[in-house]
Amino acid sequence: MHPSSVMRAASLEEAVEVLAERGPSAGVVAGGTDLAVRRRRGLPVPEVWVDISSISGPARDIVRSQDRVVIGALATFRAIAASDLVRRTLPALYQAANIMGSVQIRNRATLGGNIGNASPAGDSLPPLIAGDATAHLLSSRGRRDIPVEDLFTGPGQTCLAPDELVEAVSYPVLEGAWSGFRRVATRASHDISKMSAALRATLEQGRLAAVRVALGAVAPVPLRVPDVEAMIDGRVFNGALLDAVGLAASRAARAITDVRSTAGYRADMCGEVVVELLESFIRDRRDPSGRAGLQQRRA
Amino acid sequence: MPEAPVEITMTINGVPRTIRTPPDRRLLDLLRDDLGLTGTKEGCGCGECGACTVLVDGALVNACLLLAAQADGASITTVEGLGTPESPSVVQAAFVAETASQCGYSTPGMVVAVTKLLEDHPEASRDEARRHLSGNLCRCTGYRQILNAVERARSGHVTFPAGADGVGRSAWRVDALDKVTGRTRYAADLPWPEGLLHGVTVRSTEVHARLVEVRTGRALAMPGVVRVLTSKDIPGETHFGNATPDQPVLVVDHIRFYGEAIAVVLAESLEAARDGAAAVEVVTEPLPPVTSPEAALADGAPLLHPDGNLAVHHRLSRGDARAAMARADVVVERTYRTPAQEHVCLEPEVAVAYPDGAGGVTVKAPSQNVFFDRHHIARALGLSKNRVRMIQTPTGAAFGGREDVYAHTHAALGAVLTGRPTRIVWTREESQVATTKRHPAVMQYKAGLSSNGKILAMEIRVLADTGAYQSWAPNIGRKMLVHATGPYDVENVSTDIRMAYTNNGISGAFRGFGATQVLFAAECFADELATAAGLSPVAFRRLNHLAIGRTTATGQKITGSCGLAECMDRAVAEAERMASLRPPPPPGTVRGRGLSTIYYGIGYGNAIPDIGSAIVELLPEGMFQVRCGAVEYGQGLLTVFTQIAAEVLGVGRGHIRVMTGDSAETPDSGSTVASRQTYVSGEAVRRAAERLRTELLEFAAQHWQRRLDRLTFTSDGLAAGGDILCSLEAFHRICVEKGVRTRRQARFKASSTRLDLETGQGNAYWPYAFAAHVAGVEVDTRTGNVRVISIVAAHDVGKAINPAMVEGQIAGGAAQGLGFALFENHRFDNGVPLTRNLDTYRIPGFTDMPDVVPILVEEPEPTGPFGAKGVGEPVLVALPPAIANAVAAATGKRFRELPILPEDVRRALCGRPGNAGSATEEG
Ligand SMILES: Cc1cc2nc3c(=O)[nH]c(=O)nc-3n(C[C@H](O)[C@H](O)[C@H](O)COP(=O)(O)OP(=O)(O)OC[C@H]3O[C@@H](n4cnc5c(N)ncnc54)[C@H](O)[C@@H]3O)c2cc1C
Ligand code: FES
Ligand code: FES
């Protein structure tokens, strides 16, 4: 499949107008790092590519707006990986942005594209879900908000209407919260996750609170795991808790075996990685000067 | 159908340009095909390899992923914009000075990425540089010298050492300046001649089938399609093959693997050829696939070839293994497995053929042997050899992967049949499914030891998968046979090697040529035997190693040079020293070190005529020209020949020109394989240069009435003591006037004897290279990830003609060995290939490779040029078992199947039974 025409949109508003006019044969291209690969593999791609990659302004900005951080859909992973604001307010996303792809990929790949592509292995997705992020959607009919965790309906599928776009993503700035991201992959860098996980939590009077845990690449969609969260929330950290959480996280996985890894390993890694995240959290809290202790308290 | 072209404006390398281009054109194609900026390469087309890296508005970008239209208004810098051979940038110069490019195909993208890295992070440490550069893959260098170049460039000024051209010096590569500036033209970079046709191959989407019919009508009716080639168009022999002609040039009636070439659509444009290929209808009747060698040899298996599915059966017996085994105090049995490994030459297969107007053809393509290629092409075309000229283009690596012809014959066929130049460029996906792989092998080892740990007997059975065709299977099987015991003196040996036809792609030559598999098994086995004998790995090896005066499994007595003991001692000592300096492992990880020692036969062996041939000539312009049919593909042959000739003739590199790889202009010097060319052709160059020098100086002594021992050639001319008698140009003139020939040819023949068919006894190879590697690993006990943290690689190379290039070979081979040990596995699902591009077939990147520590042991080989032997293959072979032994040391678990995946390590560490079954046991 070849794109038969490429049109440049000057704004996301213009892009959604074109999408509405042209119907399902049109689609947006941002960085193109997923679309180009789809095209090469002979998978369906839009006929009319509406290029939104050169739109400037708020669509690519990362800003604080009262008690939320708003990231434009066209923010590249490079921008997120360099954002002090994200580093302080949602370290999990910052870490994911730093490890995803290569320098070349991060220079082009956008947050909107990562969401639009809806791969269960999309590295920004567990951090966004763990960070309680909301997607701000735009279409010619107007705007609506959907929690990121509710966006995905299957591999490569979202609940976005064909003429609807992600305009921005925002997440609440939670005082005192810690978050972290880990992924498991073959190569030390420039690889795709075999599985990934993000955890956000606070510690209130020795008890874990505001816990959110999300897993990547272990189900048809990025997965929030409320069972695991419930086990942690309100509890005092101890070794027994870790064991139970590890087991529950493994059980929560609905992984498959594919060319990258096996279902069993992915499930095992869910347990290991979630436990490791919890341990890091506790370690950082005990030694807040630690490198991973990137807490917004110091924001 | 694409809409009308769009007009875009860009500033390219500082020059504003307005270009009309179809809207679906990739930036990469615009740069390469429309603007002729061919320095930017395509290696994968999907963002994985970084060969296409350019700067778009100052940011590094994969030009293969970007539509040109998306870069409208942008400012673009390609490698050509950074510097020229005449005036290279600091980074480019640093790449030259540090020998950081080999085949050079990854180099332009790498140079762009390094340039940007140093702009943004001038202080980056080696590890930070690794992370920043991880979007650029290199298959040749192992990254070490690239990182050296980063450090060198940081200093801001780089000079090339002058006068360091002789043998034993790290002279900078003669092809480097062109490579680092993007000037080198690989076959896909050649200018498109008038009337060029583009060929796209129609491939089987079935694993095993009868081909009933190829319907070309629809394709031929499509706009731009000129011709569709099928097997019916082949004027000569329809089948070819290195060992035996069992492989069709285009499928005749029997499809034997997924991706096999069935037809080639020739059209006016690449797009038209692609669309035409999609319109060719292939009618087949499916046959049951044969997907393992075990199944292939089972009773009633479908036959892949008329003579049965057993393609190769070699046997070796020395002494009486059975009787000795019965006497042994300890008997150990183990089974090892290795997977299919792909070469991943960063330059995919490509050929351009030019009709000569008289029914003949010239083919320009990457190659490992222009004479073999010419033979295969001429046979298929039904032409005599002198009607086919094969010219090797600068080759984006080979590693054995270019010992088979692919696009060459198809392009030649197109050119001859249409009378128009024909260009065929394969995609990475085609390369991955349709080229040869390293033979997967199952290796059963049994040994009997005396109570003090001496190996009394070994019984070895190997079953390997040669896929649909033989390619070099019999020769590869023989190399397995010779090397199977490892570098040990074992008096009683019984070895049985079988290779079966299956529908799993094709297996063929790959760096190590069969020895890679058996030496993996043998060197893991050596550690397991040491454990059984209660000895340390070092002590066990010392007790059993080959040494001068000891005898190999083929009954060959080692004479001349054997640096095995020195390699082992130095590698172990260095590894210990390094480990003692390392901080303790982070929590959750365990570390271990593993040793392997190998021997490796250089050259063809088995009495196959192994001849190097070279011509050295004084040219009218006062230069010496070396001509040799061997080929450069990154290993540095042009530079080695230059250094040898410079050393012998006494002139600087500026006065030596080397011409290689042209079937019409250079003498046949055999294939550039088997680590043989420095040894065989290097010696031929040395002899030809020596002969020319001696005879010309004798003439000069007479002519000028000088004492012969006072005369020399220098870069300034013919000299007597301190005086220049005349320039080299003038000397050439005088020679011509006096009827003195200014050209000499010399040959050198390596010696080996034919192995006895029943017993496998004979002087299999000459010489042998020896090596010892120590790998250090850190295993994450939670994820099972194995990280290689140190590699010490000691190689007995006889003599390093160019130490920097030898070190480059060592680091690059190590990277391939690391990939083989830890992640590379070309996988099939019932014969259908799963790993079709670099996104799923993972090769090691910057962050996977530690800095290899090379140790050069120089035990001069009396028959080699200046004592040199070969190093190209041993560098890969030695590492995988060292890594496996290190993982065993770290975890207490023995992994007998490659690659050692985190999935398996994790399972073993949790004490769960694995799918791999016997492949993983307590060690
Ligand atoms: C070599 C390589 C390595 C990679 N490594 C990683 C990795 O480590 N981790 C990872 O997560 N991903 C990785 N990716 C995938 C890819 O880079 C990311 O998914 C990236 O975020 C996609 O963004 P893009 O702007 O390039 O998307 P595009 O390719 O432009 O678009 C992707 C899809 O999203 C849609 N889309 C784009 N923008 C929007 C929007 N604003 N609203 C709605 N839909 C939209 C498009 O229509 C399209 O369907 C890698 C890709 C490559 C080629
Ligand atoms: S060709 Fe673009 S990354 Fe490989
Ligand atoms: S030099 Fe890097 S791929 Fe050959």
Side-chain angles (χ1 to χ4, degrees), chain B residues 41-52 62 64:
Chain B
K41 307 294 178 207
E42 174 156 10
C44 69
C46 66
E48 294 291 341
C49 75
C52 63
N62 303 107
C64 68

Side-chain angles (χ1 to χ4, degrees), chain B residues 101-107 138-141 346 397:
Chain B
S101 83
Q102 292 187 21
C103 83
Y105 202 79
S106 66
T107 307
C138 174
R139 192 58 158 168
C140 299
T141 62
L346 220 53

Side-chain angles (χ1 to χ4, degrees), chain A residues 41 107 189 191 261 265 272, chain B residues 783 839 842 847 903 906:
Chain A
R41 294 205 186 119
N107 280 340
S189 49
D191 209 339
S261 190
Y265 181 73
E272 294 292 359
Chain B
T783 62
D839 54 352
R842 291 296 197 202
T847 50
E903 284 79 357
R906 156 86 193 181

Side-chain angles (χ1 to χ4, degrees), chain A residues 123 181-185 192-197 215-218 265-267 269-271 273-274:
Chain A
D123 281 326
F181 171 81
R182 294 283 185 283
R183 78 175 195 180
V184 177
I192 299 290
S193 298
K194 288 178 179 179
M195 70 78 52
S196 62
L215 305 174
V218 295
Y265 181 73
R266 287 184 158 120
M269 286 307 102
C270 288
V273 169
V274 171

Side-chain angles (χ1 to χ4, degrees), chain B residues 281-565:
Chain B
E281 295 158 89
V282 177
V283 186
T284 61
E285 277 166 17
L287 294 169
V290 179
T291 57
S292 75
E294 292 83 359
L297 300 181
D299 288 340
L303 283 193
L304 289 171
H305 291 273
D307 293 339
N309 290 343
L310 184 62
V312 173
H313 192 184
H314 291 325
R315 278 163 297 233
L316 176 150
S317 85
R318 176 172 187 230
D320 186 340
R322 185 174 302 177
M325 199 72 78
R327 284 198 314 272
D329 296 308
V330 185
V331 173
V332 182
E333 272 189 88
R334 295 286 188 267
T335 300
Y336 303 90
R337 290 183 166 80
T338 55
Q341 185 182 22
E342 158 61 26
H343 309 81
V344 191
C345 300
L346 220 53
E347 178 198 26
E349 285 60 32
V350 46
V352 191
Y354 305 80
D356 66 4
V361 64
T362 296
V363 179
K364 294 188 181 178
S367 172
Q368 272 183 274
N369 183 338
V370 290
F371 301 94
F372 277 181
D373 295 351
R374 179 183 64 173
H375 163 79
H376 291 307
I377 297 165
R379 243 178 120 259
L381 297 182
L383 292 174
S384 65
K385 278 185 195 169
N386 57 13
R387 309 279 301 283
V388 176
R389 178 173 178 188
M390 173 67 206
I391 300 176
Q392 184 227 8
T393 43
T395 295
F399 312 127
R402 307 211 197 259
E403 290 187 50
D404 295 76
V405 296
Y406 299 106
H408 309 55
T409 316
H410 299 160
L413 199 57
V416 167
L417 294 180
T418 62
R420 294 173 61 175
T422 302
R423 174 184 196 258
I424 300 178
V425 184
W426 286 13
T427 62
R428 172 62 51 195
E429 288 83 353
E430 289 182 280
S431 178
Q432 193 73 24
V433 303
T435 65
T436 59
K437 305 285 173 281
R438 188 186 298 292
H439 287 75
V442 180
M443 298 161 283
Q444 294 169 282
Y445 272 65
K446 181 174 177 185
L449 304 177
S450 71
S451 58
N452 67 357
K454 182 89 186 87
I455 309 173
L456 300 176
M458 280 179 98
E459 287 174 9
I460 299 163
R461 292 176 65 80
V462 175
L463 179 57
D465 184 348
T466 195
Y469 302 105
Q470 284 203 7
S471 179
W472 280 121
N475 307 50
I476 291 167
R478 205 175 306 110
K479 197 140 204 168
M480 288 181 165
L481 192 72
V482 172
H483 292 83
T485 57
Y488 303 105
D489 182 355
V490 188
E491 266 169 40
N492 303 285
V493 184
S494 162
T495 306
D496 180 285
I497 311 276
R498 288 176 306 152
M499 304 172 102
Y501 286 121
T502 69
N503 295 116
N504 295 333
I506 335 172
S507 304
F510 189 167
R511 210 173 191 180
F513 208 66
T516 312
Q517 294 92 318
V518 292
L519 285 170
F520 165 71
E523 279 303 283
C524 290
F525 195 49
D527 264 30
E528 300 204 64
L529 292 179
T531 307
L535 293 174
S536 74
V538 170
F540 176 81
R541 284 175 173 82
R542 219 186 288 293
L543 183 65
N544 289 289
H545 260 164
L546 290 171
I548 295 205
R550 288 197 168 180
T551 311
T552 70
T554 69
Q556 181 174 10
K557 196 167 246 161
I558 299 287
T559 58
S561 107
C562 177
L564 190 55

